[in-house]
Amino acid sequence: MKECTATEATGAVTGGLRIILRLEGLALFAGMTLLYAIWGGSWWVYFILFLMPDISFAAYLSGPRFDAAIYNAMHSYLIPVPLMVAGFGLQAPLLLSVGFIWLAHIGIDRALGYGLKYSTGFAFTHLGRIGKAGLAAPEPNRLPGGS
């Protein structure tokens, strides 16, 4: 596996570590979707709630710094994991279902390369640049100590 590298401008991970993080996202998506299926949740609810975290894109109307904070809050594990735990502990099927679906959404986003956002703009994520600019980005510099 390649050494870990990061771009100087964004601190985005690249190389083998980026692949591992994206595979973790795929595993999270598959695992949460499977648990939701075993749980017996409604697929209509799944499809409707699956896209709900992306409403945070509307925050870009206020500028990239504010949106990065909102987007990252909606696409981190800090809310859905405690929600899922509360669903288990309180035997609350709705909380549990929302947690499964929310984590599945985060997982597929990470698998597709949509990482947590930097305040420099939508295209800059912890998993690298996204969009046409990301495809044309120059090869990143290695971190000190790398080969």
Side-chain angles (χ1 to χ4, degrees), residues 77-146:
Y77 309 130
L78 295 174
I79 301 171
V81 168
L83 191 66
M84 197 170 68
V85 170
F88 275 121
L90 299 172
Q91 298 179 7
L94 180 61
L95 294 180
L96 190 57
S97 293
V98 170
F100 286 150
I101 296 166
W102 198 341
L103 287 170
H105 175 92
I106 293 169
I108 198 66
D109 272 7
R110 301 276 171 85
L112 295 173
Y114 293 95
L116 297 174
K117 308 292 183 214
Y118 288 98
S119 61
T120 52
F122 179 80
F124 298 95
T125 78
H126 82 287
L127 295 176
R129 290 186 72 179
I130 57 174
K132 291 180 183 178
L135 296 174
E139 185 64 29
N141 296 324
R142 294 208 176 266
L143 291 174

Side-chain angles (χ1 to χ4, degrees), residues 49-59 67 71 74-75 102 105 108-109 114 122:
L49 293 181
F50 189 80
L51 297 175
M52 292 301 284
D54 285 339
I55 290 175
S56 63
F57 286 129
D67 177 66
Y71 181 92
M74 296 301 293
H75 288 84
W102 198 341
H105 175 92
I108 198 66
D109 272 7
Y114 293 95
F122 179 80

